Amino acid sequence: MTSTRLATAPDTGGSGPPGRAPAGGWPAVVAVMLGIFLIVTTEILPIGLLTRIGAGFAVSDGTAGLMMAMPGLLAALSAPVVTTAFAGVDRRLMLCVFLLLLALANVMAAVAPGYWLVLVSRIVVGVVIGGFWSISAGLAERLVPAGSVGRATAVIFSAVPLGSVLGVPAGTLVGDLAGWRTAFALTGVLSFAVLVLLALVMPPLPPLKATRPDVLRALLKGVHTRFALLVTFLIVLAHFGTYTYVTPFLERTTGLGAGTVTVFLLVYGAAGVVGNFLGGACVVRRPRLVLALAGVLITAGTLLLPVLGNRPAGALVLLVVWGVGYGAVPVCSQTWFAKAAPQAPEAASVLFTASFQATIALGAWLAGGVVDRTSPAAVMTLGGVVAAVTVLVVRLHFVRRDTWPEPVGEDGDAPVRVREAPGG
C-alpha cells in the first residue's frame, strides 16, 4: 500500500543503539495508522450526518456546519502548541492520551442533550487532531528496521486519504441504520479499542528531536514551504467548503433519499481511494502534473454539479470525478511539505496539519454562511472557482520557480542551495 511515497523518510534518529532493530515493529505501525484513521473519520463524520444532526437539534445547515469548523480551528492551533509545549514528554504516552480524549469526545457527542455539547466535543477532537497527527508523522523510523521505513511511512500516511474517503459513507450508513448518535458511539468504542492496542504494542518513545519555534519560523521563510501553504489553503478551501454541504445538495437539488445518498457517497469514497493511489504513485516524479490534475478534476466536479447534478446520473458521474481529484490532494500537499523540509519531518508535519486543518475550519464556516443565505448549489459554484484558481497558481509557480530547496538543518537554518525539481 503506497499512498504517499514521500521523497525522504522521516529522520527521527531511531530508537535504539546502532545495529539494533527498532522496537515496536509492524503492530505498532498498524496501531498508529488505525489511530489516524479513526481521528480523520471522527473529524469528517458530521458531513454525511449533517442534516440529521441539524434536524435533531433544530439548527440550520450552516450552524450544523460548525461541527466541521471547530475541529479544524482547534487542530490548527494545537499542532504547533502541543508539539512545542510537550517536547520532552514520551511520545507513546501522548499518543495514548490523545486516543483517550478521542474516545471521550465521541461518547460526549453521542449522548449530548444539546447542540452546545456536540460543539464542545468537536473542540476536543480538534486538539486530538493537531497533537496526534503532528507527533505520529515521523515515527516510522523508530518502529521498524531501516529497510522497512519507506513501507511503514506509507502505511501510516495511508490513513489520511482512506479515512477521508471512507469515513463519511461508512458513518452515513451507520447513521441510516441506527441513528447518528450510534455512529458517534461506535467510533468512540473503536477509538478506545485502538488505545488498548497502542498501549500494548507501542514501545516507550522518548523524544529525540524537539520541534522548536525557531525551526518552524525558518521553514516559513522557504519559498516552497510558502507555496505548499498557499496551494493547500486554496485546494482544501475549495473541497471542504463544498463537500461539507454535499448531503444537503444531493437531497434537495438532486432529489435523493437518505439511502441513495449513502450509496452515492460510497461511490465517491471508492473514487477517492483510486485517486489516492494514482496520486501516490506519480506525485514524487511529477508533482506539478498531479497537483494540477487534482485541481482540474475538483473544478470540473464542483462547477458542473449545479448544472448537471439535478439528475442522479449526472450527480454520480461528477462525484466520481470529484472523488478521484480530492483523493490525490492529501498526498500532494503532504509531499510538498516533506520535500521542502526533509530533515525536519515533525516540523513539516506541524505546518501541514495546521494549514490543512485551519482551512477546513475556514471553508466550512464561510460556506455555512453562503448556504444559509443562498443554496448548496451556490456553494458548489464558488468552490469550483476557487479550485480553478488553485490550478492557475500551480501553473504560475512552476513557470517562475522550478527547483527544490536543500534540507533545512536541525539548527533551523534556512537552505541556501537548490537542486533540480522532478519533472512534470
Side-chain angles (χ1 to χ4, degrees), residues 174-215:
V174 173
D176 288 342
L177 296 175
W180 67 265
R181 293 181 183 273
T182 303
F184 279 103
L186 179 60
T187 309
V189 171
L190 293 175
S191 300
F192 186 78
V194 174
L195 162 61
V196 174
L197 173 64
L198 189 140
L200 291 174
V201 302
M202 183 68 69
L205 294 171
L208 299 180
K209 294 181 180 178
T211 298
R212 303 186 308 272
D214 59 326
V215 175

Short mmCIF file of all heavy atoms in Angstrom, two decimals, residues 174-215:
data_model
loop_
_atom_site.label_atom_id
_atom_site.label_comp_id
_atom_site.label_asym_id
_atom_site.label_seq_id
_atom_site.Cartn_x
_atom_site.Cartn_y
_atom_site.Cartn_z
N VAL A 174 -24.05 3.85 8.92
CA VAL A 174 -24.41 3.53 10.30
C VAL A 174 -25.53 4.46 10.78
O VAL A 174 -26.48 4.03 11.46
CB VAL A 174 -23.18 3.65 11.23
CG1 VAL A 174 -23.59 3.48 12.70
CG2 VAL A 174 -22.14 2.60 10.87
N GLY A 175 -25.43 5.73 10.42
CA GLY A 175 -26.47 6.68 10.80
C GLY A 175 -27.82 6.33 10.21
O GLY A 175 -28.86 6.47 10.86
N ASP A 176 -27.83 5.84 8.96
CA ASP A 176 -29.08 5.42 8.32
C ASP A 176 -29.69 4.22 9.03
O ASP A 176 -30.90 4.14 9.21
CB ASP A 176 -28.83 5.08 6.85
CG ASP A 176 -28.57 6.31 6.00
OD1 ASP A 176 -28.92 7.42 6.46
OD2 ASP A 176 -28.01 6.16 4.89
N LEU A 177 -28.83 3.29 9.44
CA LEU A 177 -29.32 2.04 10.01
C LEU A 177 -29.71 2.18 11.48
O LEU A 177 -30.67 1.56 11.93
CB LEU A 177 -28.26 0.95 9.86
CG LEU A 177 -27.89 0.55 8.42
CD1 LEU A 177 -26.74 -0.46 8.43
CD2 LEU A 177 -29.10 -0.02 7.70
N ALA A 178 -28.95 2.99 12.23
CA ALA A 178 -29.16 3.00 13.68
C ALA A 178 -29.19 4.39 14.30
O ALA A 178 -29.27 4.50 15.52
CB ALA A 178 -28.06 2.17 14.36
N GLY A 179 -29.10 5.45 13.49
CA GLY A 179 -29.15 6.80 14.03
C GLY A 179 -27.76 7.41 14.16
O GLY A 179 -26.76 6.69 14.36
N TRP A 180 -27.69 8.76 14.09
CA TRP A 180 -26.40 9.43 14.09
C TRP A 180 -25.67 9.27 15.43
O TRP A 180 -24.43 9.23 15.47
CB TRP A 180 -26.55 10.89 13.72
CG TRP A 180 -27.30 11.75 14.71
CD1 TRP A 180 -28.62 12.06 14.71
CD2 TRP A 180 -26.74 12.42 15.86
NE1 TRP A 180 -28.94 12.87 15.76
CE2 TRP A 180 -27.81 13.13 16.49
CE3 TRP A 180 -25.46 12.50 16.42
CZ2 TRP A 180 -27.62 13.88 17.64
CZ3 TRP A 180 -25.28 13.25 17.57
CH2 TRP A 180 -26.35 13.94 18.17
N ARG A 181 -26.41 9.18 16.52
CA ARG A 181 -25.76 9.01 17.82
C ARG A 181 -25.00 7.67 17.88
O ARG A 181 -23.93 7.57 18.49
CB ARG A 181 -26.78 9.10 18.94
CG ARG A 181 -27.40 10.49 19.12
CD ARG A 181 -28.39 10.52 20.27
NE ARG A 181 -29.04 11.82 20.40
CZ ARG A 181 -28.56 12.85 21.09
NH1 ARG A 181 -27.41 12.72 21.73
NH2 ARG A 181 -29.22 13.99 21.16
N THR A 182 -25.57 6.66 17.26
CA THR A 182 -24.91 5.35 17.23
C THR A 182 -23.60 5.42 16.48
O THR A 182 -22.61 4.76 16.84
CB THR A 182 -25.84 4.30 16.61
OG1 THR A 182 -27.06 4.25 17.33
CG2 THR A 182 -25.19 2.93 16.60
N ALA A 183 -23.59 6.21 15.40
CA ALA A 183 -22.36 6.35 14.61
C ALA A 183 -21.23 6.93 15.48
O ALA A 183 -20.09 6.45 15.45
CB ALA A 183 -22.62 7.24 13.40
N PHE A 184 -21.54 7.96 16.28
CA PHE A 184 -20.53 8.53 17.16
C PHE A 184 -20.14 7.55 18.27
O PHE A 184 -18.96 7.43 18.62
CB PHE A 184 -21.04 9.83 17.77
CG PHE A 184 -20.91 11.02 16.86
CD1 PHE A 184 -22.02 11.53 16.19
CD2 PHE A 184 -19.69 11.62 16.67
CE1 PHE A 184 -21.91 12.62 15.36
CE2 PHE A 184 -19.56 12.72 15.83
CZ PHE A 184 -20.67 13.23 15.17
N ALA A 185 -21.12 6.85 18.83
CA ALA A 185 -20.82 5.90 19.90
C ALA A 185 -19.91 4.78 19.40
O ALA A 185 -18.96 4.38 20.10
CB ALA A 185 -22.12 5.33 20.45
N LEU A 186 -20.20 4.27 18.21
CA LEU A 186 -19.38 3.21 17.64
C LEU A 186 -17.95 3.68 17.40
O LEU A 186 -16.99 2.96 17.70
CB LEU A 186 -20.00 2.71 16.33
CG LEU A 186 -19.24 1.61 15.59
CD1 LEU A 186 -19.10 0.37 16.46
CD2 LEU A 186 -19.93 1.26 14.28
N THR A 187 -17.80 4.91 16.91
CA THR A 187 -16.46 5.45 16.70
C THR A 187 -15.73 5.60 18.03
O THR A 187 -14.51 5.39 18.11
CB THR A 187 -16.54 6.80 15.97
OG1 THR A 187 -17.36 6.68 14.81
CG2 THR A 187 -15.16 7.27 15.55
N GLY A 188 -16.46 5.96 19.09
CA GLY A 188 -15.85 6.07 20.40
C GLY A 188 -15.34 4.72 20.92
O GLY A 188 -14.24 4.63 21.47
N VAL A 189 -16.13 3.67 20.73
CA VAL A 189 -15.73 2.33 21.16
C VAL A 189 -14.49 1.89 20.39
O VAL A 189 -13.53 1.33 20.97
CB VAL A 189 -16.89 1.34 20.95
CG1 VAL A 189 -16.41 -0.09 21.18
CG2 VAL A 189 -18.04 1.67 21.89
N LEU A 190 -14.48 2.13 19.08
CA LEU A 190 -13.32 1.75 18.27
C LEU A 190 -12.08 2.54 18.68
O LEU A 190 -10.96 1.99 18.68
CB LEU A 190 -13.63 1.98 16.79
CG LEU A 190 -14.69 1.06 16.18
CD1 LEU A 190 -15.00 1.47 14.74
CD2 LEU A 190 -14.24 -0.40 16.23
N SER A 191 -12.26 3.79 19.05
CA SER A 191 -11.12 4.61 19.49
C SER A 191 -10.51 4.03 20.77
O SER A 191 -9.28 3.97 20.92
CB SER A 191 -11.57 6.05 19.72
OG SER A 191 -12.08 6.63 18.55
N PHE A 192 -11.35 3.61 21.69
CA PHE A 192 -10.84 3.02 22.93
C PHE A 192 -10.13 1.70 22.64
O PHE A 192 -9.10 1.39 23.26
CB PHE A 192 -11.98 2.80 23.92
CG PHE A 192 -11.52 2.34 25.28
CD1 PHE A 192 -10.97 3.25 26.18
CD2 PHE A 192 -11.60 1.00 25.64
CE1 PHE A 192 -10.53 2.83 27.42
CE2 PHE A 192 -11.16 0.59 26.88
CZ PHE A 192 -10.62 1.50 27.78
N ALA A 193 -10.66 0.91 21.70
CA ALA A 193 -10.02 -0.35 21.34
C ALA A 193 -8.62 -0.12 20.76
O ALA A 193 -7.67 -0.84 21.08
CB ALA A 193 -10.89 -1.11 20.34
N VAL A 194 -8.49 0.90 19.91
CA VAL A 194 -7.17 1.21 19.34
C VAL A 194 -6.23 1.73 20.42
O VAL A 194 -5.02 1.46 20.39
CB VAL A 194 -7.32 2.21 18.19
CG1 VAL A 194 -5.95 2.66 17.68
CG2 VAL A 194 -8.11 1.60 17.04
N LEU A 195 -6.77 2.46 21.40
CA LEU A 195 -5.96 2.91 22.53
C LEU A 195 -5.36 1.71 23.26
O LEU A 195 -4.16 1.71 23.57
CB LEU A 195 -6.83 3.73 23.49
CG LEU A 195 -6.29 3.92 24.91
CD1 LEU A 195 -4.97 4.67 24.89
CD2 LEU A 195 -7.31 4.66 25.78
N VAL A 196 -6.16 0.70 23.52
CA VAL A 196 -5.66 -0.50 24.19
C VAL A 196 -4.58 -1.18 23.34
O VAL A 196 -3.52 -1.58 23.85
CB VAL A 196 -6.81 -1.48 24.48
CG1 VAL A 196 -6.28 -2.79 25.04
CG2 VAL A 196 -7.81 -0.85 25.46
N LEU A 197 -4.84 -1.30 22.04
CA LEU A 197 -3.86 -1.91 21.15
C LEU A 197 -2.55 -1.13 21.16
O LEU A 197 -1.46 -1.71 21.27
CB LEU A 197 -4.43 -1.96 19.73
CG LEU A 197 -3.47 -2.43 18.63
CD1 LEU A 197 -3.04 -3.88 18.85
CD2 LEU A 197 -4.09 -2.25 17.25
N LEU A 198 -2.64 0.20 21.06
CA LEU A 198 -1.43 1.02 21.01
C LEU A 198 -0.64 0.91 22.31
O LEU A 198 0.59 0.82 22.30
CB LEU A 198 -1.81 2.47 20.73
CG LEU A 198 -0.65 3.42 20.44
CD1 LEU A 198 -1.01 4.40 19.33
CD2 LEU A 198 -0.25 4.19 21.69
N ALA A 199 -1.35 0.87 23.45
CA ALA A 199 -0.67 0.74 24.74
C ALA A 199 0.06 -0.59 24.86
O ALA A 199 1.10 -0.69 25.52
CB ALA A 199 -1.68 0.90 25.87
N LEU A 200 -0.47 -1.63 24.21
CA LEU A 200 0.13 -2.96 24.30
C LEU A 200 1.33 -3.13 23.38
O LEU A 200 2.30 -3.82 23.74
CB LEU A 200 -0.92 -4.03 23.96
CG LEU A 200 -2.05 -4.21 24.99
CD1 LEU A 200 -3.08 -5.20 24.46
CD2 LEU A 200 -1.49 -4.69 26.33
N VAL A 201 1.29 -2.53 22.19
CA VAL A 201 2.32 -2.83 21.18
C VAL A 201 3.34 -1.71 21.00
O VAL A 201 4.41 -1.93 20.42
CB VAL A 201 1.68 -3.15 19.82
CG1 VAL A 201 0.73 -4.33 19.93
CG2 VAL A 201 0.94 -1.93 19.25
N MET A 202 3.04 -0.49 21.47
CA MET A 202 3.96 0.62 21.25
C MET A 202 5.03 0.65 22.32
O MET A 202 4.74 0.61 23.52
CB MET A 202 3.18 1.95 21.26
CG MET A 202 4.04 3.17 20.97
SD MET A 202 4.64 3.22 19.26
CE MET A 202 3.10 3.50 18.37
N PRO A 203 6.31 0.74 21.95
CA PRO A 203 7.39 0.83 22.94
C PRO A 203 7.48 2.25 23.50
O PRO A 203 6.90 3.18 22.95
CB PRO A 203 8.64 0.51 22.11
CG PRO A 203 8.30 1.03 20.75
CD PRO A 203 6.82 0.74 20.57
N PRO A 204 8.19 2.45 24.60
CA PRO A 204 8.44 3.82 25.08
C PRO A 204 9.15 4.62 23.99
O PRO A 204 10.05 4.12 23.31
CB PRO A 204 9.35 3.61 26.29
CG PRO A 204 9.05 2.21 26.75
CD PRO A 204 8.77 1.43 25.50
N LEU A 205 8.75 5.87 23.81
CA LEU A 205 9.30 6.71 22.75
C LEU A 205 9.70 8.08 23.30
O LEU A 205 9.01 9.08 23.08
CB LEU A 205 8.28 6.89 21.62
CG LEU A 205 7.90 5.63 20.83
CD1 LEU A 205 6.73 5.91 19.91
CD2 LEU A 205 9.10 5.12 20.04
N PRO A 206 10.81 8.13 24.04
CA PRO A 206 11.28 9.45 24.49
C PRO A 206 11.61 10.32 23.29
O PRO A 206 12.14 9.84 22.29
CB PRO A 206 12.54 9.11 25.31
CG PRO A 206 12.97 7.77 24.80
CD PRO A 206 11.73 7.04 24.42
N PRO A 207 11.28 11.61 23.33
CA PRO A 207 11.54 12.48 22.18
C PRO A 207 13.02 12.60 21.90
O PRO A 207 13.83 12.72 22.82
CB PRO A 207 10.93 13.82 22.60
CG PRO A 207 10.90 13.76 24.09
CD PRO A 207 10.68 12.33 24.46
N LEU A 208 13.38 12.56 20.62
CA LEU A 208 14.78 12.66 20.21
C LEU A 208 15.11 14.02 19.62
O LEU A 208 16.23 14.50 19.74
CB LEU A 208 15.11 11.57 19.20
CG LEU A 208 14.94 10.13 19.70
CD1 LEU A 208 15.29 9.15 18.60
CD2 LEU A 208 15.81 9.88 20.93
N LYS A 209 14.15 14.62 18.92
CA LYS A 209 14.37 15.92 18.29
C LYS A 209 13.17 16.80 18.58
O LYS A 209 12.07 16.52 18.12
CB LYS A 209 14.56 15.77 16.78
CG LYS A 209 15.80 15.01 16.38
CD LYS A 209 15.92 14.95 14.86
CE LYS A 209 17.17 14.18 14.45
NZ LYS A 209 17.29 14.07 12.98
N ALA A 210 13.38 17.84 19.32
CA ALA A 210 12.29 18.74 19.67
C ALA A 210 11.97 19.67 18.51
O ALA A 210 12.86 20.14 17.81
CB ALA A 210 12.65 19.56 20.90
N THR A 211 10.67 19.92 18.32
CA THR A 211 10.24 20.90 17.33
C THR A 211 10.18 22.26 18.02
O THR A 211 9.29 22.52 18.81
CB THR A 211 8.85 20.54 16.77
OG1 THR A 211 8.94 19.26 16.12
CG2 THR A 211 8.37 21.58 15.78
N ARG A 212 11.17 23.10 17.69
CA ARG A 212 11.25 24.40 18.35
C ARG A 212 10.62 25.48 17.48
O ARG A 212 10.55 25.36 16.26
CB ARG A 212 12.71 24.75 18.61
CG ARG A 212 13.47 23.72 19.44
CD ARG A 212 14.86 24.21 19.79
NE ARG A 212 15.60 24.66 18.61
CZ ARG A 212 16.34 23.85 17.86
NH1 ARG A 212 16.43 22.57 18.16
NH2 ARG A 212 16.98 24.32 16.82
N PRO A 213 10.16 26.55 18.11
CA PRO A 213 9.56 27.64 17.33
C PRO A 213 10.49 28.21 16.26
O PRO A 213 10.04 28.60 15.18
CB PRO A 213 9.24 28.70 18.40
CG PRO A 213 9.05 27.91 19.66
CD PRO A 213 10.03 26.78 19.56
N ASP A 214 11.82 28.25 16.54
CA ASP A 214 12.73 28.81 15.54
C ASP A 214 12.82 27.93 14.30
O ASP A 214 13.04 28.43 13.19
CB ASP A 214 14.12 29.04 16.15
CG ASP A 214 14.74 27.76 16.69
OD1 ASP A 214 13.99 26.90 17.19
OD2 ASP A 214 15.97 27.61 16.60
N VAL A 215 12.64 26.61 14.46
CA VAL A 215 12.64 25.72 13.31
C VAL A 215 11.42 25.99 12.44
O VAL A 215 11.50 26.07 11.21
CB VAL A 215 12.67 24.24 13.75
CG1 VAL A 215 12.55 23.32 12.53
CG2 VAL A 215 13.95 23.94 14.51
#
